[in-house]
Amino acid sequence: MNKNWIFAVVLGVLIIVSLVQAVQLSSIKESISEGDISTGSASSTVDTAGSSSSSSSSSSSLSELPSMVGGC
């Protein structure tokens, strides 16, 4: 098979995939504007019953985070 044919097939597949994604994005944007899809926040729960030593070390490192990145 010729190298140019392989490139043409790959390019064609990429164009088809990008067109499908564009249609899906348009559909999602339309659904959001019509109110069919809610963009509200989700709540999540974290189970901290595992080990208390790892949670205390992670909370102390999280409190020091602004100084570690320069306090931006």
Side-chain angles (χ1 to χ4, degrees), residues 45-58:
T45 59
V46 177
D47 184 19
T48 59
S51 65
S52 62
S53 63
S54 66
S55 66
S56 65
S57 67
S58 70

Side-chain angles (χ1 to χ4, degrees), residues 21-72:
Q21 287 181 340
V23 169
Q24 288 176 340
L25 180 62
S26 174
S27 172
I28 290 171
K29 287 172 69 175
E30 183 178 326
S31 296
I32 289 173
S33 68
E34 291 177 354
D36 294 339
I37 298 175
S38 171
T39 58
S41 63
S43 63
S44 64
T45 59
V46 177
D47 184 19
T48 59
S51 65
S52 62
S53 63
S54 66
S55 66
S56 65
S57 67
S58 70
S59 65
S60 67
S61 67
L62 289 177
S63 65
E64 297 172 4
L65 188 63
S67 64
M68 285 192 271
V69 292
C72 294

